[in-house]
Amino acid sequence: MHSVTEASPARSREGPGVGLFEATRLLAKISDTPRLDAELLLAHALGITREALILGEPQEIPANFAELLTRRLTHEPIAYILGTRDFWSISLRVTPAVLIPRPDSETLIEAALVHFGKRGPARVLDLGTGSGALLLAALAQWPDAIGLGMDSSANALAIARENAETLGLIARATFRTGDWGHDLDEHFDLILINPPYIETSAILDPQVADFEPPSALYAGVDGLSDYRIIAPQLPRLLAPDGIACIEIGSTQRLAVSGLLAAQGLSVTVRKDLAGHDRCLVASRK
């Protein structure tokens, strides 16, 4: 092993094996954030936080850092290597059984927060819950809410339940196997939905296409297959004053709004931090 002894706080002296400088150089070929990736991998290898790595004393670089770096260089996502991903105010366990939560999806929670404010919804439904990110973020935001997460994948539901337990939210969260809302005959104040919305012909970054579950990505030749299933279910599932917050691709506002309007729903759009259309808010007229 050799030590981290760079001029910057997270310091690295090159020696046998791969240090922080060399790891950053190698990662620049496949990542837009090579330095961040290198620091996260090294902190994980050391069993400390990135902040502790940057601010702490120089550390010996462990042998398993090279293995982690090799995995990242094959385009494996950082979240799967670390096994965790931060989302909204919570940290979630993630595996290749679930889609990695993105900051863009936080737009759905922001939209719900604008609508409900501090009082919050009483009952929350998360269709296609995956890791449980949206449901558990909502329950963490509103301590009096209860919620249901639906997913067709038993493996995804196992991760969601584990996350609910770790976060101390399992008493307020229920999870069921199901195909969207087909088997539900209940009303919900807030429905959160991040369905697959990518065209099957789309060419994606290898770290997405080669590692994340295809069932959570692709939705037919036009990316709208699952919206066509979900839209007719919403009037039955929404409480009278409830809203559904639905993630969309940045070019899908008109198409998905049309599907929702055809079900008698009012629709508004909310943009993500990059200024792209990202969330449709549907409600009863």
Side-chain angles (χ1 to χ4, degrees):
M1 297 192 297
H2 61 291
S3 62
V4 179
T5 59
E6 246 177 68
S8 62
R11 296 174 289 179
S12 171
R13 180 193 323 140
E14 298 305 323
V18 178
L20 203 54
F21 275 151
E22 178 65 7
T24 300
R25 186 186 70 80
L26 292 170
L27 287 166
K29 300 174 183 179
I30 62 102
S31 173
D32 294 331
T33 55
R35 177 66 182 209
L36 174 62
D37 288 8
E39 290 174 351
L40 288 170
L41 293 173
L42 180 54
H44 185 65
L46 289 165
I48 61 176
T49 65
R50 175 172 172 255
E51 289 74 18
L53 173 71
I54 293 171
L55 299 175
E57 294 297 318
Q59 298 270 1
E60 290 293 317
I61 295 181
N64 65 333
F65 177 55
E67 177 187 350
L68 298 178
L69 177 61
T70 298
R71 290 173 62 183
R72 182 68 184 112
L73 289 170
T74 67
H75 299 277
E76 184 174 353
I78 284 283
Y80 288 155
I81 298 173
L82 304 184
T84 60
R85 179 69 169 225
D86 290 341
F87 181 80
W88 195 246
S89 63
I90 59 179
S91 186
L92 300 157
R93 178 170 179 252
V94 293
T95 76
V98 298
L99 193 73
I100 298 169
R102 268 77 166 173
D104 288 348
S105 298
E106 294 181 353
T107 310
L108 277 65
I109 303 297
E110 292 169 353
L113 190 57
V114 168
H115 180 82
F116 289 103
K118 292 183 178 180
R119 67 180 173 88
R123 302 194 71 212
V124 181
L125 172 63
D126 182 6
L127 292 176
T129 194
S131 65
L134 288 169
L135 175 63
L136 299 176
L139 297 185
Q141 181 67 42
W142 293 292
D144 294 329
I146 60 172
L148 170 63
M150 299 286 293
D151 206 289
S152 61
S153 167
N155 290 332
L157 288 172
I159 297 297
R161 288 190 187 96
E162 180 180 336
N163 282 324
E165 290 172 356
T166 300
L167 292 166
L169 298 172
I170 194 64
R172 295 192 284 129
T174 303
F175 298 96
R176 295 185 208 163
T177 304
D179 181 12
W180 300 119
H182 279 308
D183 299 325
L184 292 176
D185 187 20
E186 306 169 49
H187 291 139
F188 298 88
D189 305 292
L190 172 61
I191 302 177
L192 299 164
I193 315 168
N194 180 13
Y197 54 73
I198 298 172
E199 302 92 335
T200 50
S201 61
I203 299 174
L204 302 178
D205 188 295
Q207 71 174 345
V208 177
D210 295 347
F211 291 93
E212 299 199 61
S215 62
L217 296 171
Y218 301 105
V221 295
D222 60 359
L224 300 175
S225 296
D226 289 287
Y227 294 117
R228 293 190 180 98
I229 296 170
I230 294 165
Q233 299 173 359
L234 294 181
R236 169 172 54 86
L237 297 172
L238 276 171
D241 296 322
I243 61 168
C245 297
I246 308 158
E247 183 162 335
I248 58 169
S250 60
T251 63
Q252 294 175 324
R253 176 176 61 86
L254 292 178
V256 181
S257 294
L259 293 173
L260 296 169
Q263 302 301 319
L265 297 170
S266 296
V267 184
T268 59
V269 65
R270 187 173 181 89
K271 297 181 182 296
D272 60 24
L273 290 176
H276 301 134
D277 293 339
R278 188 59 61 195
C279 172
L280 295 181
V281 180
S283 61
R284 296 174 182 270
K285 291 183 178 179

